[in-house]
């Protein structure tokens, strides 16, 4: 298929947005065969079926590189209680917080988890998302962690979407292991990781390095086990305080380090040297009403790629709009619209270790989004507005 008469934000090349003002895109065998100016269309491309996009904008298909789409229950009641003055600690003592999600997820069947996740996934697909990452981490026991990963894999059987699965059993210490973090890692997290890898359920391994979760030494234990299985690693780090997780992740060559509100310029330098992507999550920053911003300028200064994601989860970021995450990245974190678009395409692909998508260039997957807008900046500028015209996945509209 040949797409003609379109503005192309290829996110590839030296021009802003990699823009081609009046361009065309030729797709063959689920890949981009050619992209360029409308007047330079190859003769062979003219023989294929063509679609006149009437001046619409085309970008790479969007990529949500950090989500927790699979979970049971919700936390709307707790949201209401907090706004009525009940503290987070009081809610947690009453069985709320992550414990409520853990209980609901453990009790949910595989089909129930699937249906809930599909509803959230459909919202992302409706905004042009073609690749999504999905983490486990709300089971914190072998059976439920594996069930969450199976559900994440099944999403691609029900929707035309590429799903990358991430094992996140090192998300929190479950109540049955209170005060025994190392025992939990050795008895549950690492053995279950091996089972997940054996069954082909996991593409990467994640952890949460924070005062309320795991120390750097404990996370290193998880990462060593992941490396023995040839699984890449990534890390939730420096979200609520500075615990040194970013330095550890950089030392381990992590694909990405995520959240990063309390990261430093030294952390940015270490990430640059390691080639790790900074995944910024403004939905959690907004929901938790944080005030400590991630060091965006330090990431720029050190050439650290910045990705953006929804962090869709029931507690700190019940967000299923990547377009809104782009706006938040600009408004809350002072990213530019071009950085925001790169953050949900080119850099999001890199955060997942994927080199075959995220830009519009020959040889790349023909995963595209066509928008009823004239300028790429409109995607980050508007609030609560979805201008998606068509989503193209593997060359198929």
């Amino acid at each position: 298929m040949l797409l003609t008469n379109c503005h192309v934000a290829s996110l590839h090349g030296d021009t802003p947005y990699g823009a081609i003002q009046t361009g065309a895109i030729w797709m063959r065998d689920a890949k981009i065969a050619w992209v360029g100016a409308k007047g330079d269309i190859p003769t062979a491309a003219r023989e294929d079926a063509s679609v006149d996009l009437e001046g619409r904008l085309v970008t790479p298909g969007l990529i949500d590189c950090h989500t927790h789409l699979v979970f049971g229950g919700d936390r709307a009641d707790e949201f209401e209680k907090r706004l009525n003055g009940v503290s987070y600690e009081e809610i947690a003592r009453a069985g709320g917080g992550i414990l409520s999600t853990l209980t609901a997820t453990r009790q949910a069947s595989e089909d129930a988890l699937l249906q809930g996740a599909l509803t959230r996934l459909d919202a992302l697909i409706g905004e042009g998302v073609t690749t999504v990452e999905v983490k486990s981490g709300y089971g914190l026991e072998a059976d439920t962690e594996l069930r969450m990963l199976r559900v994440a894999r099944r999403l691609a059987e029900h929707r035309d979407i590429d799903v990358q699965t991430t094992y996140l059993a090192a998300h929190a210490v479950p109540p049955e292991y209170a005060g025994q973090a190392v025992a939990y890692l050795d008895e549950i997290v690492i053995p279950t990781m091996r089972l997940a890898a054996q069954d082909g359920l996991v593409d990467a391994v994640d952890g949460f390095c924070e005062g309320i979760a795991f120390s750097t030494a404990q996370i290193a234990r998880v990462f060593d086990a992941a490396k023995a299985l040839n699984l890449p690693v990534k890390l939730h780090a420096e979200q609520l305080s500075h615990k040194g997780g970013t330095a550890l992740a950089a030392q381990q060559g992590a694909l990405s380090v995520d959240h990063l509100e309390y990261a430093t310029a030294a952390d940015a330098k270490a990430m640059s040297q390691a080639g790790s992507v900074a995944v910024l999550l403004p939905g959690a920053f907004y929901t938790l009403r944080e005030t400590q911003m991630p060091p965006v300028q330090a990431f720029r200064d050190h050439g650290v790629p910045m990705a953006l994601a929804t962090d869709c989860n029931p507690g700190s970021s019940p967000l299923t709009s990547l377009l809104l995450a782009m706006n938040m990245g600009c408004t809350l974190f002072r990213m530019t619209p071009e950085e925001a678009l790169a953050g949900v395409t080119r850099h999001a692909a890199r955060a997942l270790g994927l080199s075959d998508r995220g830009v519009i260039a020959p040889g790349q997957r023909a995963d595209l989004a066509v928008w009823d807008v004239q300028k790429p900046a409109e995607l980050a500028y508007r609030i609560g507005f979805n201008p998606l015209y068509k989503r193209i996945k593997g060359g198929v509209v």
Side-chain angles (χ1 to χ4, degrees), residues 4 24 73 110 120 216 223 238 245 251 304-305 342 345:
T4 66
E110 191 167 311
R120 294 180 278 274
T216 54
F223 282 3
E238 268 66 80
Q251 290 167 8
V304 177
T345 53

Side-chain angles (χ1 to χ4, degrees), residues 206-260:
D206 200 347
F208 188 19
C209 185
E210 189 55 74
I212 60 172
F214 298 94
S215 69
T216 54
Q218 291 162 352
I219 291 295
R221 203 181 192 97
V222 176
F223 282 3
D224 287 344
K227 288 198 167 186
L229 296 168
N230 294 316
L231 291 171
V233 297
K234 55 183 69 177
L235 187 64
H236 292 58
E238 268 66 80
Q239 180 186 6
L240 306 173
S241 61
H242 191 275
K243 297 296 182 184
T246 303
L248 170 69
Q251 290 167 8
Q252 297 271 6
L255 287 174
S256 72
V257 190
D258 303 31
H259 286 290
L260 294 165

Side-chain angles (χ1 to χ4, degrees), residues 80 84 98 125 131 133 197 220 270-271 310 358 395:
E80 186 171 22
N84 279 294
I98 193 172
I125 289 173
T131 299
E133 184 255 21
M271 290 178 65
T310 62

Side-chain angles (χ1 to χ4, degrees), residues 182-202:
V182 172
Y184 170 62
L185 296 178
D186 289 346
E187 295 172 16
I188 301 296
V189 174
I190 293 173
T192 307
M193 182 197 307
R194 294 179 181 134
L195 290 174
Q198 178 181 304
D199 292 344
L201 294 175
V202 57

Side-chain angles (χ1 to χ4, degrees), residues 190-350:
I190 293 173
T192 307
M193 182 197 307
R194 294 179 181 134
L195 290 174
Q198 178 181 304
D199 292 344
L201 294 175
V202 57
D203 298 312
V205 172
D206 200 347
F208 188 19
C209 185
E210 189 55 74
I212 60 172
F214 298 94
S215 69
T216 54
Q218 291 162 352
I219 291 295
R221 203 181 192 97
V222 176
F223 282 3
D224 287 344
K227 288 198 167 186
L229 296 168
N230 294 316
L231 291 171
V233 297
K234 55 183 69 177
L235 187 64
H236 292 58
E238 268 66 80
Q239 180 186 6
L240 306 173
S241 61
H242 191 275
K243 297 296 182 184
T246 303
L248 170 69
Q251 290 167 8
Q252 297 271 6
L255 287 174
S256 72
V257 190
D258 303 31
H259 286 290
L260 294 165
E261 281 85 339
Y262 285 83
T264 64
D267 291 328
K269 182 178 180 180
M271 290 178 65
S272 176
Q273 293 170 343
S276 301
V277 177
V279 178
L280 307 184
L281 304 169
F285 180 91
Y286 167 85
T287 301
L288 298 176
R289 293 188 286 185
E290 294 288 348
T291 57
Q292 176 74 30
M293 288 174 48
V296 168
Q297 189 56 52
F299 295 142
R300 291 184 185 124
D301 293 342
H302 290 282
V304 177
M306 291 182 287
L308 278 168
T310 62
D311 190 20
C312 176
N313 74 74
S316 63
S317 187
L319 174 64
T320 51
S321 170
L322 200 51
L323 291 175
L324 182 53
M326 290 172 65
N327 176 270
M328 287 178 169
C330 295
T331 304
L332 299 177
F333 294 163
R334 305 295 187 264
M335 297 174 74
T336 68
E338 185 174 4
E339 287 173 334
L341 184 55
V344 297
T345 53
R346 184 174 76 240
H347 295 156
R350 182 170 170 179

Side-chain angles (χ1 to χ4, degrees), residues 64-70 132-138 145-146 148-150 152-153 163-171 193 196 200-208 222-223 226 231-236 255-256 258 351-353:
D64 196 348
C65 65
H66 182 132
T67 84
H68 305 254
L69 283 181
V70 178
V132 65
E133 184 255 21
V134 182
K135 303 179 191 295
S136 69
Y138 287 120
E145 288 292 308
L146 294 172
M148 292 181 73
L149 292 169
R150 284 196 300 270
R153 284 282 194 244
V163 177
Q164 293 286 300
T165 57
T166 299
Y167 178 69
L168 181 59
H171 194 194
M193 182 197 307
L201 294 175
V202 57
D203 298 312
V205 172
D206 200 347
F208 188 19
V222 176
F223 282 3
L231 291 171
V233 297
K234 55 183 69 177
L235 187 64
H236 292 58
L255 287 174
S256 72
D258 303 31
L352 296 177

